[in-house]
Amino acid sequence: MKRSNNMKTTLKLGLLVSTLALAAGPAAAEVYNLCAVQTTKTLPDTSTVPMWGYALDDDGDLSNGCSNPVTIPGPRLTVTTGTLTINLRNDLSEPTSIVIPGLPMPDSGAPGSDGNGPTWNDGTAGLRDPLAVPPQRVRSFGAEAAPAGGIESYSFTVGRPGSFIYHSGTHPQKQVYMGLYGAATKDSAAGEAYPSIGTSPAVTYDNEVVLFYSEIDPDLNNAIAGSSYMTSIHYHPRWFMVNGEPYVDGMADITTGTGGAPLVAGEAVLVRFLSAAGKTHVPVLQGQHMTIHAEDGLQYNYQDGANVVAAAPREQYSAMLPPLKTKDAIVQAPAAGRYAVYDGNGYMTNPTDPEDITVGDEVGGMLRFLAFSEPEPDQDGDGVPDSSDLCPDTPAGEPVNADGCSASQLDSDGDGVSDAVDNCPLIANPGQEDKDGNGVGDACEPPQLTSFWSNGDEVVGATISMFVFGDYFDMATGATQVYVNGIQQFLVQAVTTEMLIVRVTVTSEMIGGPVTVTTSNGSAVSSTNFGDTLPGLQITGVWPSTVTEGVNASVFVFGSEFDLAPGATEVYMNGIRQYFVAVVSPEMLIVRITPTLAMTGPVEVRTPAGGSAFSSTSLVVVPAP
Amino acid sequence: MNLTYKQPGRLLAVLLTGLVLALPWGQANAQHDIRGITGDTFNLYAFPFSMNLPEGSSLQMWGFGDIDAGAGATHAEGDGYNLPQYPGPTLVVTEDVPVTINLTNSGVPQPVSIVVTGHNVNAACTMPENLCSDGLLTKAANVGEKVTYTFTPTEPGTYIYHSMDGSNPGLHVEMGLLGVLIVRPSDASRTAYGNDTGTDYEQEFLSLLTEVDPEIHLQMERGHVTHFTNSDRFAKVWFVNGRVFPDLFQGNYNELFPHQPYESLAQAHPGERVLVRQVNAGQDSHPFHFHGENLRFIGRDGRKLSSDGVVADLGRSDNTINSAPKQAIDAIWTWTGKDLGWDIYGHDTTHVCNAGPDGFGDATSTYPGEYCPDHGKAFPVTLPGTQDLSLGGWWSGSPFLGDNGDLPPGEGGLNPYGGYFFVWHSHAEKELTTFDIFPGGSLGAVVVLPPGTPIE
């Protein structure tokens, strides 16, 4: 019987995976339909700023757009296979496209060098024309989705796990600042961010938090939306956001991870840091260190020549994020409480007009609090919280079932012997008898059937007592069932565990089938059939064994089940039929033969019911002198 | 035996370099430890003050000061020092010994608090008659209030403590309410992370980077807490250990800089390992660049870079630390003169070099640590005459280590031991200016001194 103390974790991972899938929309979909849409964002000071963002399609048909709301950052894309396909519909008034730094450029399907870009500002794509006037400048890294409803497809090969940023690959100095970015993530397995490499274990996690950093420069966005944009050189962000919103006084702490599972102290929480901000920011974790395992989907490791020896995770309290950087860290809170994630660069205010002396900056910007709750008490440390643990005080190290009980704590059959050492845990056997010493208690052994014998002929109409010999019969009343050719017998008495007596009134349906004995531990079937009381057609002897060619002889054939009916028993000598056969009894017949040399060989008898039988010895015909 | 002076009378401007008066070789060849205050209980206060910059201006600052006036000073020169300072007192503590910081706000017009990077700090209002307030991240002290912070450092390394509260949480660091916490290993070894971690060192120095936007300080001085928006912050003055070039060479606890007690001139003998605790407590990144030799990273944020958790063996060799705000990096720097190709003691015609197993001069050599394969090799060029040179204050007059040469009156004088100065500076060159004046800013240095020169 297997017990597992991974039950709790397994359940949680299952919950996590399924809720991640729900959050992503189509469960583990590798194809995402997105629309790039103009929108307006309202900021905490009630001002508004134009933005461009991604919306997730709602009905699988991009020709009618996406009626889901735009989110900035864009919808999170979850990848489980090796390919991520994004079908993009462009509802902006200028071309757009998608790239994912860290992954190879996508395939947009069209063959030839023009198909996947780059796309120039004159609208042509592919190799650059060095003679073009005016000179060509790159507009998009890849193929474009045309404005006002154009659709383009991008298939990315996602060859490794990691956290990635998908963003506009068209005039990124405008479009990324306008809000066209989002997270795309891939795990190496469910609940596992990165696989085992070298001598290091895999990076597994119990919960996940995404912290996506970004900025807004309202003047730049207004210039872009109002078509007065010339350059991004004067980019000067004023709003500093985490997951699309600046902190505001009184904002709720982050108490749950992706999918809604609460953050619990002591659990491994995967924090994915991503930044589409234009400035470098340094998230600093208050009060504890985190373990950073990878950046840009590349796991830190150290190597000996070309061989990876082990992972080389970095234990730090700071995670520097230059623009478009991603970092994956495990945070394991040492105790319940609030832990700030603050910006080492100090961008923790929401702006005000410095010329207005009646107002001032308020706390805001890139500040969040992770709030970890107490782990549910688990006094015996068996992985099952006390509120569900039916067996407290589980000894250390013993695996438990979903109820928190280890084998040593359970006595399923109540026989006083705990399941861990009970040789038959589900059937009470306080004496633990095991006469064959195979570790399986006698009470659990399936029955064995060696033979059966009836005290009369097993013929239709007879009422006989059949003795069944074997082992591990269950002596409890009715616990051992006996069947004859499938017909259940009801007058059964178990005399010992090794012998039964069955009172049988023979019917024709019982003839010719085996006897079956069944207990709660299994069944056993006889090797011979009921009604086969005779040993069957056979030759046990031939006399004389030597005859002389041409000299008439009477040969006696001994055996059993010779057929007395006239002509029913045929005799062959070395395959040559003999016709002067007299069946004296089922056990003996006489054959009158005139020997020929060709008759040297085995003797065979055939009957309609018994088939054929050969002698084990040969009759020898010696030549005439 | 007079090794350190070619011209015995040339003792120019010793005080300007902050170096101790020369002693004959054979005296204590002491080692440098970072200046600060030590113990398990620190009583700090927060108070505004004005600080001078080299080009004559002054800045309004907020700083931490030591109420105990240096009773726990690590070095005698810190006795009696009780002014609010920039940076705050460097706290030197020991692994696994619980630490208490009692903070009183004596006059900063905002709630002041202390967070310690990498440590889970408990905060309590312990004095019944002194209230404290619930702050943004922890308990804070308004004017007249006091908070007690307690924590136990469990990992040796370099950390930052700073205030973070109020409507502009980054403002307190901008104004100067910051300092360094150094946790020494519990085995009292002269290592960064403990015995057998591969982090042994001879000299220990702090390199704390900060920067300020003077406009913000101007508004604070006028009491206009809100007359700027933080997204407009633009630093114009850059500091190492709270001072700006050239003040940062001028000795610890120098009365010329009453609120800036720490210098940032590192000193070493050839072959010695220098533990550099590189801390960025400002709000901008700085690429801090080390001339003279590469450094070896051994740890970040108080955690050694290790493949097995025992030895700091995963740090690479580099000449620049990309110092990000609030990150602390530990590195070991060593100058040996190996493969220079000429004898750095060429002025001494009778010195001997007896090579040890590593190729460097052993204890019986005239100059222990000399690279013997270069012994006796001539200086490869002919130096121009003095009249053809423009001379800087740190030119000793001779290319040889420990030698001084003839200089016109008024020239030199800042290098009486004939050492080799290597600048350690931010490689964002505008940060080597103060209000567009070069040299300035975060331009520090290390000086390699001849063997036998006392370093304290």
Side-chain angles (χ1 to χ4, degrees), chain A residues 35-38 52 62-63 88-97 119-123 139-140 143-152 154 170-171 174-175 180:
Chain A
C35 296
V37 183
Q38 300 180 58
W52 297 345
L62 279 178
S63 64
L88 177 67
R89 177 192 161 100
N90 181 2
D91 286 316
L92 308 173
S93 52
E94 58 182 70
T96 191
S97 61
T119 309
W120 309 100
N121 55 350
D122 59 9
R139 184 167 73 194
S140 300
E144 290 179 345
I151 296 175
E152 182 55 86
Y154 304 91
T170 304
H171 279 160
K174 287 168 58 179
Q175 297 198 1
L180 290 171

Side-chain angles (χ1 to χ4, degrees), chain A residues 185-478:
Chain A
T185 64
K186 178 176 176 181
D187 282 346
S188 52
E192 179 185 288
Y194 291 94
S196 167
I197 55 174
T199 57
S200 303
V203 181
T204 57
Y205 60 96
D206 303 311
N207 208 338
E208 177 204 74
V209 171
V210 175
L211 296 178
F212 200 126
Y213 287 74
S214 61
E215 297 162 348
I216 298 178
D217 176 354
D219 294 338
L220 182 74
N221 285 25
N222 282 310
I224 292 170
S227 306
S228 63
Y229 166 83
M230 295 283 284
T231 171
S232 295
I233 280 180
H234 301 300
Y235 174 73
H236 190 96
R238 301 206 169 273
W239 294 92
F240 303 90
M241 345 271 280
V242 178
N243 293 339
E245 296 296 333
Y247 181 82
V248 288
D249 191 24
M251 178 181 259
D253 295 346
I254 297 174
T255 57
T256 60
T258 307
L263 299 182
V264 177
E267 290 191 334
V269 179
L270 174 67
V271 179
R272 301 189 195 261
F273 292 97
L274 309 100
S275 178
K279 287 173 168 307
T280 294
H281 293 277
V282 182
V284 177
L285 182 60
Q286 177 202 10
Q288 56 174 305
H289 280 67
M290 66 184 117
T291 303
I292 307 177
H293 285 274
E295 57 181 88
D296 301 336
L298 293 169
Q299 198 175 356
Y300 296 133
N301 65 84
Y302 66 95
Q303 299 169 355
D304 179 3
N307 302 317
V308 172
V309 176
R314 302 176 180 184
E315 198 182 342
Q316 301 180 187
Y317 54 74
S318 60
M320 182 167 82
L321 296 181
L324 291 182
K325 174 63 63 178
T326 76
K327 283 187 176 166
D328 295 314
I330 295 288
V331 174
Q332 203 153 353
R338 294 174 87 220
Y339 299 85
V341 181
Y342 61 94
D343 181 22
N345 292 80
Y347 291 98
M348 289 175 283
T349 59
N350 294 333
T352 50
D353 180 0
E355 301 303 317
D356 183 349
I357 62 171
T358 64
V359 297
D361 279 12
E362 292 184 349
V363 64
M366 290 172 167
L367 176 65
R368 287 296 188 275
F369 294 88
L370 300 177
F372 293 86
S373 56
E374 287 287 352
E376 292 190 65
D378 178 13
Q379 182 234 347
D380 57 7
D382 63 357
V384 176
D386 289 353
S387 55
S388 334
D389 193 336
L390 298 183
C391 299
D393 305 318
T394 303
E398 294 190 6
V400 295
N401 63 4
D403 290 331
C405 297
S406 71
S408 71
Q409 296 176 299
L410 293 171
D411 180 12
S412 303
D413 55 13
D415 62 0
V417 181
S418 81
D419 286 0
V421 296
D422 195 334
N423 64 11
C424 188
L426 297 182
I427 298 176
N429 61 337
Q432 294 284 285
E433 295 85 359
D434 180 12
K435 63 186 173 192
D436 62 359
N438 66 347
V440 177
D442 293 347
C444 277
E445 288 277 15
Q448 296 172 9
L449 201 168
T450 312
S451 64
F452 61 91
W453 180 88
S454 300
N455 67 350
D457 287 342
E458 295 168 358
V459 291
V460 176
T463 298
I464 54 161
S465 293
M466 178 174 70
F467 294 78
V468 182
F469 302 97
D471 208 343
Y472 301 117
F473 299 144
D474 191 332
M475 293 182 64
T477 307

Side-chain angles (χ1 to χ4, degrees), chain B residues 165-426:
Chain B
D165 219 303
S167 59
N168 184 347
L171 176 65
H172 296 193
V173 161
E174 164 71 38
M175 293 302 294
L177 287 166
L178 53 91
V180 173
L181 172 77
I182 294 172
V183 180
R184 292 261 163 78
S186 55
D187 59 16
S189 58
R190 195 167 182 76
T191 65
Y193 303 114
N195 269 322
D196 300 323
T197 59
T199 59
D200 301 67
Y201 62 90
E202 279 72 48
Q203 314 290 349
E204 180 199 40
F205 285 91
L206 177 67
S207 178
L208 168 66
L209 304 182
T210 55
E211 72 291 315
V212 299
D213 177 354
E215 177 65 27
I216 296 177
H217 297 251
L218 195 63
Q219 299 296 341
M220 291 299 106
E221 189 173 11
R222 295 172 180 169
H224 298 166
V225 181
T226 62
H227 277 202
F228 62 94
T229 187
N230 193 65
S231 57
D232 283 343
R233 176 183 181 271
F234 190 76
K236 294 188 187 69
V237 188
W238 296 272
F239 302 83
V240 185
N241 294 349
R243 291 202 201 148
V244 168
F245 178 95
D247 304 344
L248 42 76
F249 287 168
Q250 302 201 30
N252 296 303
Y253 304 100
N254 188 328
E255 291 170 350
L256 290 176
F257 320 105
H259 295 283
Q260 296 156 279
Y262 304 132
E263 70 163 356
S264 64
L265 175 65
Q267 300 160 57
H269 303 109
E272 284 181 339
R273 295 160 294 198
V274 181
L275 172 63
V276 181
R277 298 187 189 268
Q278 179 79 52
V279 184
N280 184 341
Q283 293 182 178
D284 297 333
S285 295
H286 306 290
F288 208 72
H289 177 64
F290 294 73
H291 281 234
E293 215 4 297
N294 269 18
L295 52 93
R296 172 172 70 95
F297 289 107
I298 57 170
R300 277 195 199 87
D301 290 357
R303 296 291 184 269
K304 52 183 176 286
L305 303 173
S306 173
S307 65
D308 59 0
V310 178
V311 183
D313 58 349
L314 282 191
R316 70 173 192 279
S317 170
D318 206 336
N319 57 42
T320 305
I321 293 177
N322 190 7
S323 182
K326 310 304 184 296
Q327 275 191 350
I329 287 169
D330 297 317
I332 304 253
W333 181 95
T334 303
W335 188 89
T336 60
K338 180 169 185 256
D339 290 337
L340 266 181
W342 49 276
D343 190 334
I344 59 178
Y345 304 105
H347 61 294
D348 183 345
T349 52
T350 61
H351 75 287
V352 296
C353 190
N354 301 323
D358 57 1
F360 292 93
D362 63 14
T364 66
S365 308
T366 312
Y367 301 103
E370 177 185 358
Y371 184 59
C372 291
D374 281 341
H375 179 74
K377 290 188 182 169
F379 193 74
V381 299
T382 305
L383 284 175
T386 310
Q387 298 90 323
D388 296 323
L389 296 173
S390 291
L391 302 170
W394 287 277
W395 169 239
S396 69
S398 160
F400 300 116
L401 184 61
D403 189 33
N404 296 81
D406 285 331
L407 290 171
E411 298 289 353
L414 301 178
N415 190 0
Y417 294 107
Y420 292 146
F421 278 83
F422 299 106
V423 286
W424 286 358
H425 65 95
S426 167

Side-chain angles (χ1 to χ4, degrees), chain B residues 251 312 393 453:
Chain B
T453 312

Side-chain angles (χ1 to χ4, degrees), chain B residues 9-27:
Chain B
R10 213 170 274 278
L11 285 175
L12 295 173
V14 169
L15 288 175
L16 278 176
T17 63
L19 297 173
V20 176
L21 193 65
L23 294 170
W25 189 66
Q27 289 281 334

